[in-house]
Amino acid sequence: MVERGNKMTRQANIIYVNGPVVKANHMEDFMVREMVMVGEKKLIGEIISLEKGLGTIQVYEETSGLRIGEKVQGTERPLSLKLGPGIIGNIFDGIERPLSKIYEKGFKFIPEGMGLVSIDERKSWDVEIMVKPGNILKPGRIFANVQETSMVVHKIMVPPGIKGKVVSAVKSGSYTISDTLAVLNEDGKKCELKMCQEWPIRQPRPVAQRMPIEKLLVTGQRVIDTFFPLAKGGTAGIPGGFGTGKTITQHQLAKWSDADIIVYIGCGERGNEMTEVLEDFPKLKDPNTNNPLMDRTVLIANTSNMPVAAREASIYTGITIAEYFRDMGYNVAVMADSTSRWAEALREIAGRLEEMPAEEGYPAYLASRLAEFYERAGYFKNLNGTEGSITVIGAVSPAGGDFSEPVTQSTKRIVGAFLALDRELAHARHFPSINWLSSYSGYISMLRDWFKQNIASDMIKLRSKMMKILQEENKLMDIVKLVGEDVLPDDQRVILEIARIIKIGYLQQNAYHPQDFYTDLPRQYSMLKVIGKLYDRAYSCVKKGIPLSKIKNEKLFSDIIMMKYNAAKEKSKLFPELINRIDHYYDSIESMYKEGRINES
Amino acid sequence: MKVKYLKIDKAEGPLLVMEEVKDAVYDEIVDIEISGKEHRIGKVVQIDRGKVIIQVFQGTSGISLNDVSVIFSGKPMEISLSKEILGRVFNGTGSPIDGAGEIYSNKNYNINGRPMNPVARLYPRNHIQTGISSIDGLLTLIRGQKLPIFSGDGLPHNQLAAQIVKQARITGEETANFAVVFVAMGIKHDEADFFRKVFEETGVMDRVVMFLNLADDPVMERIITPRCALTAAEYLAFECDMHVLVIMTDITSYCEALREISSAREEVPSRKGYPGYLYSDLANLYERAGMLKDCKGSITQIAILTMPNDDITHPVPDLTGYITEGQIVLNRSLYQMGIYPPINVLPSLSRLMKDGIGKEYTREDHPNVANQVFSAYSKVQEVRALAQIIGEDELSETDRKYMEFGRQFEERFSKQDFEENRDISQTLDLMWELLRILPEQELTRIDPSLAKKYLRK
């Protein structure tokens, strides 16, 4: 806990309270965006605006019980996070207060007036120091390493804006985050380097330069990786009405995507969902390293019943933590579930400030704030020369499931990939319920080379082929809905059959099936190959006039649909075998047909 | 010493405005005495220097600006609780109305509650058997879940809720330690009587706590009624280790009361005139369901809401669906076909079901068979749409089987008597029986090993 109140001379008094918005007078000497302590309970707040002596404050805790005339104390700094070892594997509220620590203190329900607790200052860490006196350090330079968890080496960096010559440095050993590790001298000014640094949440951390996006974020989810790929450093929006599986999709991405660090922001969502992550993630193993997934995950929880102003801050807290780990050279993925709740928090505060509302009561700056947030994603060259990325995946909860509402539309304008969840598919229990006609990914062209080098040169081509079949099917379904399937000619019915295989056998993926929850890329490619092969052979048979009833072999078709569940030990053989079976089957019916053993009936 | 103010400056709708008040506390409760006789309760909703806006739960009618006295309590609203509340009936503000006297306790609880720490929560995993096939088989209710019923006017949501109360069995635990908290917001007297009768008939009346704000009671009280009730539920669950089932009806009336107060305060409205904070406000109610790590008790919520004009995209069901862990949607056309309970399983959902069914909880085949029945019944809808155009005789053979599946699903599975109590294995066996109507290659969601064990037996 940081006690600064006694040093302060500036003092304001509360004169107005309305929900999370508090106003106080005598605030001439305060700064806009300064963090303040409000009232006797020292609730944490942030100044939004100042007008003459009158300051408007948004308070991050429950304001019930505040009395007129109580004091407001300044802290002389903007709302900032403490960044250092102790973040990974932890769960924080919207302003980085550790919920597990609050629970250990005996609070099953979150009280007000906890003050500014943050990451643990007493815990000691094994630090490997990597500088000597005499070294010249630039901002961002990594000067020490801490093995924070089994999966993350926490690299201790010189904070941005600080540089100089090392005057003294401690030896490698065990230290806490508030111990001084080294002292720098810049033009006679001394500066102590510690394991932790502070950074204001609303200000992006500086980088050397932005780099082009060209690497796939592998998620193991077939519909995403193959059809609507996400990129490291990219952005994605996942809109969907309730019950369409936004949270499950976000959880799947948090579990299986190949980022180094996951920051999961539960913004205005259900308490039980955070509990689920807390219970599940430590038990799940990373497919590559076999370490518990919690060892690379940070949770920010502001559930729907926690104070609304802290919900507004929570996504900035999350992305600031992400930037800090990016600076170490990691690929970070940020899941924000859900940005609509954040937008609603903006709306609620704007309403209490009596600001002029724009569309649906949201403030006019909604779109620009959203853009600012998503623009903190990207692939970067850091100050210290390392490369790191932040991928932002935001869930959107459109009111009434209607995608024309402002949050969905503003998000759609900014993000690079748009994974539209569909209520009809969800009702049919087709999960992930990503609609393949209304979703898109702008990263395909940027990832073309990556796919070519890492998977296969015809991966993108196969994808387009499948997309074409699905689109064709959609057109045909309009007719089928009116006249039934039997009326269509066989060359169109074969498209319906193949589209059915793509939908059931490929797009549907069971998040709870031990074989199906994750499909690596080579397997995805092989599966596509099999379906592509089946389509080619079946289609050419139709063109030769062979009736569909012969072409559709129930056993073959159902084995291809079920291939996703096939846990054959000799993985390498499964798909070539299927391809052989396809060739064998169609060779035989083609030759039978040539010999005239199959007639038109 | 508490100051008594004898003058107010403005009274309008549910709001009082007073100027030159010293030391007002945000959210505190005030006692308003009218002409020295009647007492009303109000809450401070805004303070602007000396000017204080008070929301009066019983409305301002009959209040004169001069003949009134207002006492500020300095505290948010509290109710006193003890185990004696079981079997009692309270009004919307938590005062007993059954003539059996006050609740005496030295423990007072703030009705606003506090957000549960996600770290302290225990993820709910044990299912509650309701004896209703649609729910047990496809929308399994989990202890500690919040699962609302989305209904419409004239649909049998009350019977359904009553049947759940009657038949609910918490598997694997002693059933003696349960309680029901019943919250009525703006419902009619006969509906409240119906519930009272059901509680009496099933012999659980001494384990029920009722909070009644009926259709002719003051509208503004409705805003505190569920808060009082949930505070009582939290007390029973987390201090008395009881399994509490909270039934809240009707959430739509609650939201309308909230809209009324919001428009009286001239707040910026969002969709359909409801306030922008409707989501947060509803979350403050729904999120009070759940379980805690160090407590044996649990709170399971079944909220009933009537969708205006049967519109599921209306803000009340919409925002509810975003907060609750699923929903049970009742359907008018099913009801008109004589099917009770008229649960349309397709838009319905139980989010916690996935972790509370299967081998360790219900039966190993449950996840697969439920998944397959969902997907088959959704296919039935497509086939029916087609059959309407081209006629059932023109359908392909598989499609005709789907038609048959759909009919039997509704007649044998969904349809159930008010007194009929099916246990979970009966329900699951029935699901397999229905699936046998379909050709086996249509059953793409069934694991081959399970098909062997259950489908072909």
Side-chain angles (χ1 to χ4, degrees):
Chain A
M1 172 139 179
V2 182
E3 274 290 352
R4 287 172 184 235
N6 47 3
K7 290 182 196 157
M8 304 303 304
T9 50
R10 303 175 304 162
Q11 194 150 297
N13 299 94
I14 298 173
I15 57 161
Y16 172 99
V17 189
N18 180 4
V21 174
V22 169
K23 290 182 187 171
N25 55 12
H26 310 302
M27 294 196 79
E28 290 86 350
D29 296 334
F30 289 68
M31 302 176 291
V32 173
R33 291 290 173 202
E34 180 177 343
M35 181 166 50
V36 290
M37 312 262 205
V38 178
E40 277 162 20
K41 286 187 192 163
K42 294 195 173 161
L43 307 180
I44 294 171
E46 188 181 7
I47 300 174
I48 323 178
S49 68
L50 292 168
E51 188 187 347
K52 294 188 180 158
L54 193 69
T56 305
I57 303 161
Q58 67 176 11
V59 180
Y60 294 121
E61 300 180 67
E62 179 55 55
T63 52
S64 171
L66 279 185
R67 187 183 290 271
I68 287 294
E70 282 184 27
K71 290 168 195 161
V72 174
Q73 295 173 349
T75 61
E76 288 189 313
R77 59 192 176 135
L79 182 65
S80 309
L81 300 184
K82 197 168 264 183
L83 299 164
I87 291 180
I88 302 287
N90 219 331
I91 176 167
F92 300 99
D93 76 351
I95 48 174
E96 212 209 3
R97 292 185 296 185
L99 291 172
S100 43
K101 207 158 152 193
I102 292 175
Y103 174 62
E104 278 158 24
K105 283 185 182 166
F107 295 106
K108 292 172 192 157
F109 297 88
I110 297 168
E112 309 94 63
M114 288 295 295
L116 258 193
V117 282
S118 183
I119 48 177
D120 197 336
E121 296 190 23
R122 289 200 201 107
K123 181 166 180 179
S124 28
W125 301 89
D126 281 331
V127 189
E128 181 201 350
I129 303 284
M130 301 192 301
V131 289
K132 294 195 295 282
N135 288 159
I136 305 277
L137 302 189
K138 286 187 182 155
R141 164 75 190 268
I142 296 164
F143 66 90
N145 277 342
V146 173
Q147 185 77 40
E148 184 172 354
T149 65
S150 65
M151 285 171 84
V152 178
V153 177
H154 196 113
K155 295 170 184 169
I156 314 293
M157 297 171 292
V158 179
I162 288 173
K163 57 182 196 285
K165 192 174 185 181
V166 180
V167 184
S168 65
V170 297
K171 280 190 192 123
S172 296
S174 185
Y175 300 95
T176 67
I177 58 167
S178 37
D179 290 335
T180 301
L181 300 182
V183 178
L184 291 190
N185 183 347
E186 188 198 0
D187 305 331
K189 238 173 60 197
K190 291 238 165 110
C191 181
E192 292 180 350
L193 295 181
K194 294 180 178 171
M195 232 185 288
C196 70
Q197 47 179 283
E198 287 194 12
W199 193 262
I201 61 169
R202 294 178 198 278
Q203 190 181 340
R205 285 172 68 88
V207 290
Q209 68 178 96
R210 224 170 236 277
M211 314 258 291
I213 287 170
E214 49 200 15
K215 285 189 188 139
L216 179 77
L217 182 80
V218 181
T219 66
Q221 310 304 303
R222 291 187 294 264
V223 56
I224 297 177
D225 286 352
T226 307
F227 288 95
F228 309 106
L230 307 180
K232 291 202 172 88
T235 52
I238 309 184
F242 60 82
T244 50
K246 281 185 304 298
T247 302
I248 293 185
T249 310
Q250 288 273 37
H251 280 191
Q252 286 301 93
L253 294 176
K255 284 174 191 167
W256 311 122
S257 60
D258 71 336
D260 302 310
I261 309 278
I262 303 288
V263 180
Y264 195 97
I265 311 167
C267 176
E269 288 290 312
R270 303 174 185 89
N272 273 335
E273 284 171 2
M274 298 316 288
T275 311
E276 187 186 0
V277 174
L278 280 176
E279 287 190 12
D280 282 356
F281 276 37
K283 287 183 230 149
L284 294 169
K285 303 271 189 236
D286 178 64
N288 301 319
T289 60
N290 217 22
N291 288 316
L293 283 177
M294 202 61 203
D295 281 4
R296 62 162 195 182
T297 308
V298 186
L299 298 176
I300 312 286
N302 179 276
T303 57
S304 53
N305 56 342
M306 289 193 196
V308 69
R311 193 184 307 164
E312 191 268 337
S314 66
I315 70 165
Y316 296 106
T317 298
I319 197 118
T320 305
I321 289 175
E323 285 178 339
Y324 174 65
F325 282 98
R326 172 211 61 201
D327 286 350
M328 300 176 198
Y330 288 121
N331 294 309
V332 188
V334 178
M335 324 285 159
D337 185 15
S338 135
T339 55
S340 292
R341 305 296 161 229
W342 168 80
E344 278 164 13
L346 273 190
R347 172 168 75 185
E348 184 172 338
I349 296 161
R352 304 237 189 212
L353 294 172
E354 290 167 13
E355 289 176 7
M356 181 70 78
E359 219 178 328
E360 286 194 19
Y362 287 106
Y365 46 76
L366 169 70
S368 60
R369 291 273 172 91
L370 261 176
E372 272 169 28
F373 169 67
Y374 279 105
E375 276 307 289
R376 288 173 81 166
Y379 206 102
F380 298 97
K381 187 168 204 146
N382 296 321
L383 294 178
N384 54 24
T386 56
E387 283 180 13
S389 71
I390 294 178
T391 311
V392 177
I393 300 157
V396 185
S397 320
D402 171 15
F403 287 4
S404 66
E405 58 91 44
V407 184
T408 317
Q409 284 306 315
S410 311
T411 306
K412 206 172 171 180
R413 272 211 309 275
I414 315 156
V415 294
F418 187 75
L419 308 175
L421 302 185
D422 188 297
R423 192 167 266 180
E424 296 298 316
L425 291 175
H427 288 179
R429 302 309 190 258
H430 173 120
F431 287 118
S433 63
I434 295 172
N435 184 312
W436 49 92
L437 297 169
S438 47
S439 303
Y440 60 80
S441 166
Y443 298 114
I444 294 165
S445 54
M446 303 177 198
L447 297 171
R448 204 172 284 269
D449 290 338
W450 189 92
F451 275 114
K452 219 173 248 174
Q453 283 157 18
N454 294 279
I455 308 301
S457 52
D458 60 341
M459 177 88 179
I460 299 278
K461 235 171 85 192
L462 271 171
R463 172 197 180 269
S464 321
K465 186 168 164 180
M466 300 296 152
M467 272 312 266
K468 221 180 119 210
I469 296 172
L470 289 169
Q471 257 148 11
E472 198 79 1
E473 186 235 22
N474 184 50
K475 274 188 243 156
L476 293 174
M477 282 315 279
D478 289 344
I479 305 171
V480 172
K481 276 183 196 145
L482 289 175
V483 295
E485 198 181 317
D486 295 346
V487 189
L488 293 181
D490 277 357
D491 62 336
Q492 295 187 334
R493 288 186 61 188
V494 79
I495 291 189
L496 297 184
E497 290 297 337
I498 301 294
R500 180 166 175 267
I501 290 181
I502 301 176
K503 285 194 287 186
I504 303 177
Y506 197 84
L507 297 178
Q508 279 182 18
Q509 191 166 355
N510 186 342
Y512 304 103
H513 192 284
Q515 180 60 32
D516 200 31
F517 67 87
Y518 181 90
T519 310
D520 61 26
L521 278 167
R523 193 174 159 98
Q524 292 187 26
Y525 172 70
S526 308
M527 288 172 76
L528 285 177
K529 273 292 231 202
V530 171
I531 300 173
K533 184 82 182 172
L534 181 71
Y535 172 72
D536 290 341
R537 295 300 311 253
Y539 195 75
S540 75
C541 284
V542 165
K543 283 289 168 201
K544 285 178 184 151
I546 302 173
L548 187 70
S549 53
K550 289 281 180 287
I551 292 167
K552 191 181 166 190
N553 176 303
E554 294 291 358
K555 179 83 178 95
L556 183 63
F557 273 49
S558 94
D559 281 353
I560 291 176
I561 285 180
M562 302 304 258
M563 69 183 163
K564 59 181 175 181
Y565 295 131
N566 198 320
K569 288 207 180 63
E570 289 179 76
K571 277 183 192 157
S572 52
K573 279 199 186 148
L574 169 69
F575 297 106
E577 243 168 47
L578 274 173
I579 286 184
N580 279 340
R581 273 179 62 194
I582 294 169
D583 276 333
H584 185 75
Y585 178 72
Y586 288 105
D587 283 347
S588 77
I589 64 166
E590 271 178 22
S591 65
M592 283 200 302
Y593 186 72
K594 254 183 221 158
E595 292 159 21
R597 279 194 277 151
I598 301 174
N599 50 36
E600 291 298 324
S601 64
Chain B
M1 227 234 5
K2 278 181 183 151
V3 191
K4 200 184 240 186
Y5 290 85
L6 295 172
K7 186 174 169 297
I8 54 179
D9 293 276
K10 186 177 157 189
E12 188 180 14
L15 301 179
L16 288 184
V17 179
M18 300 174 63
E19 301 203 11
E20 289 165 41
V21 177
K22 284 179 194 144
D23 279 355
V25 176
Y26 183 66
D27 205 32
E28 73 178 306
I29 285 295
V30 296
D31 178 48
I32 302 150
E33 192 184 270
I34 302 164
S35 315
K37 299 181 295 234
E38 193 192 340
H39 283 265
R40 292 189 190 172
I41 306 171
K43 183 176 90 164
V44 174
V45 291
Q46 186 175 332
I47 311 175
D48 190 353
R49 293 172 207 243
K51 185 175 139 193
V52 171
I53 300 178
I54 296 163
Q55 168 188 333
V56 186
F57 294 122
Q58 293 84 1
T60 53
S61 76
I63 291 184
S64 105
L65 295 186
N66 294 321
D67 193 12
V68 65
S69 78
V70 178
I71 300 169
F72 288 79
S73 70
K75 285 189 300 194
M77 176 141 178
E78 289 177 339
I79 54 172
S80 53
L81 294 170
S82 75
K83 256 197 147 166
E84 306 297 312
I85 59 171
L86 287 169
R88 302 290 307 269
V89 183
F90 301 86
N91 70 3
T93 50
S95 311
I97 50 170
D98 53 1
E102 294 288 317
I103 300 291
Y104 291 102
S105 164
N106 48 7
K107 284 182 173 172
N108 291 322
Y109 294 83
N110 181 346
I111 63 158
N112 294 313
R114 279 189 168 129
M116 253 186 225
N117 188 337
V119 179
R121 275 184 190 267
L122 184 69
Y123 192 71
R125 288 180 201 273
N126 285 334
H127 86 283
I128 299 176
Q129 180 178 307
T130 64
I132 298 164
S133 286
S134 306
I135 297 179
D136 289 348
L138 298 171
L139 312 164
T140 314
L141 177 66
I142 307 290
R143 189 168 66 198
Q145 185 172 21
K146 36 193 181 292
L147 189 65
I149 300 174
F150 287 11
S151 182
D153 302 308
L155 291 179
H157 41 263
N158 290 340
Q159 281 90 314
L160 181 61
Q163 194 174 359
I164 294 174
V165 171
K166 256 169 51 176
Q167 302 182 349
R169 291 279 168 278
I170 297 161
T171 39
E173 284 263 346
E174 84 289 9
T175 46
N177 211 13
F178 81 101
V180 176
V181 173
F182 178 79
V183 193
M185 293 168 282
I187 62 167
K188 289 173 298 207
H189 283 266
D190 54 334
E191 291 177 87
D193 287 340
F194 166 79
F195 277 103
R196 205 191 310 239
K197 224 174 95 200
V198 169
F199 296 146
E200 275 164 9
E201 277 169 10
T202 34
V204 294
M205 198 56 207
D206 58 341
R207 307 194 150 268
V208 177
V209 192
M210 295 180 97
F211 289 83
L212 302 179
N213 172 278
L214 301 177
D216 56 354
D217 287 331
V219 174
M220 287 310 131
E221 280 185 15
R222 237 160 258 177
I223 293 173
I224 41 178
T225 310
R227 290 183 164 80
C228 292
L230 288 165
T231 308
E234 278 173 1
Y235 169 78
L236 291 174
F238 303 135
E239 295 195 27
C240 308
D241 289 340
M242 299 181 92
H243 294 300
V244 185
L245 180 66
V246 182
I247 295 182
M248 301 197 280
T249 175
D250 172 338
I251 295 290
T252 311
S253 309
Y254 169 82
C255 294
E256 278 164 3
L258 207 62
R259 176 165 68 179
E260 198 175 324
I261 186 82
S262 168
S263 89
R265 292 180 62 191
E266 295 171 8
E267 290 170 332
V268 181
S270 71
R271 281 175 75 212
K272 296 212 172 172
Y274 288 96
Y277 50 78
L278 183 60
Y279 178 83
S280 306
D281 193 278
L282 283 174
N284 277 325
L285 304 183
Y286 294 135
E287 279 288 324
R288 289 171 82 171
M291 301 175 78
L292 288 174
K293 271 178 193 159
D294 313 324
C295 301
K296 287 196 196 107
S298 65
I299 299 179
T300 311
Q301 273 185 18
I302 296 184
I304 298 171
L305 60 90
T306 46
M307 298 182 278
N309 202 19
D310 291 350
D311 175 12
I312 200 169
T313 65
H314 183 278
V316 177
D318 189 50
L319 295 179
T320 297
Y322 276 121
I323 308 163
T324 54
E325 282 137 354
Q327 64 276 340
I328 296 173
V329 182
L330 302 191
N331 180 288
R332 200 170 292 276
S333 65
L334 281 176
Y335 190 52
Q336 282 160 350
M337 281 158 58
I339 290 164
Y340 169 86
I343 299 174
N344 183 2
V345 296
L346 293 178
S348 304
L349 172 73
S350 165
R351 287 170 194 272
L352 300 184
M353 173 176 174
K354 62 183 167 58
D355 294 303
I357 59 169
K359 206 170 178 178
E360 290 162 59
Y361 304 100
T362 53
R363 213 168 76 180
E364 54 169 348
D365 53 324
H366 195 165
N368 264 251
V369 73
N371 203 332
Q372 185 63 58
V373 168
F374 266 123
S375 127
Y377 189 60
S378 99
K379 172 86 181 174
V380 169
Q381 311 304 315
E382 279 173 38
V383 175
R384 277 184 183 163
L386 182 61
Q388 281 210 324
I389 298 167
I390 63 171
E392 202 174 330
D393 297 340
E394 297 297 313
L395 292 175
S396 70
E397 205 194 318
T398 313
D399 283 355
R400 279 204 297 276
K401 284 184 175 159
Y402 271 109
M403 291 293 280
E404 182 56 28
F405 173 85
R407 265 189 295 269
Q408 295 215 15
F409 177 83
E410 281 152 12
E411 287 297 328
R412 294 176 58 201
F413 183 81
S414 293
K415 194 172 176 176
Q416 188 169 350
D417 198 75
F418 182 64
E419 302 290 336
E420 189 180 352
N421 190 349
R422 298 186 194 147
D423 76 12
I424 182 74
S425 51
Q426 262 176 304
T427 294
L428 290 171
D429 291 343
L430 187 54
M431 285 158 88
W432 283 109
E433 221 170 285
L434 293 173
L435 288 178
R436 279 186 211 116
I437 299 171
L438 299 173
E440 205 180 316
Q441 70 267 15
E442 289 293 311
L443 307 182
T444 54
R445 313 279 178 115
I446 304 280
D447 199 289
S449 63
L450 290 173
K452 211 162 143 192
K453 188 161 166 196
Y454 292 94
L455 190 65
R456 297 176 209 130
K457 75 171 178 189

